Amino acid sequence: MIIFGTKGYLYQLAILTLVCGQCGNPAAHTLRKRVTKFTLFFVPLFPVSTKYLTQCTFCGAEQKVTKEQAEQLQAQDAGGQPYGQPQQQNRF
């Protein structure tokens, strides 16, 4: 008996302030990466699909973006600082 399937993972990459295409409000948007992985005996082995999307925190509308667009948006966030990483402080 072989048990296989898929499992989804959701990663939050950044939080950006953008104008929403749905409601038209300048609001915070979360940039997310959704990865679906193939599992064998409940162990994730390799990614099957990867999708990037932004979600408006005001109205909840989601919009798909390409990998290149997601990388550009992530680079704009905090001057290229990866989300969740501590910022370096310069000491004089």
Side-chain angles (χ1 to χ4, degrees):
M1 184 166 141
I2 297 176
I3 301 172
F4 65 93
T6 59
K7 183 174 181 181
Y9 295 90
L10 191 62
Y11 301 100
Q12 183 169 317
L13 302 177
I15 297 177
L16 309 159
T17 302
L18 303 169
V19 176
C20 181
Q22 182 74 24
C23 64
N25 291 318
H29 286 66
T30 55
L31 177 63
R32 295 182 178 163
K33 176 181 174 181
R34 183 176 296 158
V35 180
T36 304
K37 294 187 177 183
F38 176 79
T39 61
L40 183 64
F41 294 107
F42 306 104
V43 177
L45 296 178
F46 55 88
V48 176
S49 72
T50 302
K51 297 178 183 176
Y52 295 89
L53 53 98
T54 59
Q55 182 178 20
C56 177
T57 58
F58 189 79
C59 68
E62 289 186 351
Q63 180 180 2
K64 291 182 182 179
V65 293
T66 64
K67 181 179 179 180
E68 292 78 20
Q69 290 173 333
E71 290 172 352
Q72 286 178 344
L73 288 171
Q74 194 173 4
Q76 289 175 2
D77 180 43
Q81 184 76 21
Y83 182 72
Q85 298 293 322
Q87 295 181 353
Q88 294 180 352
Q89 296 179 355
N90 294 332
R91 295 189 177 222
F92 296 99

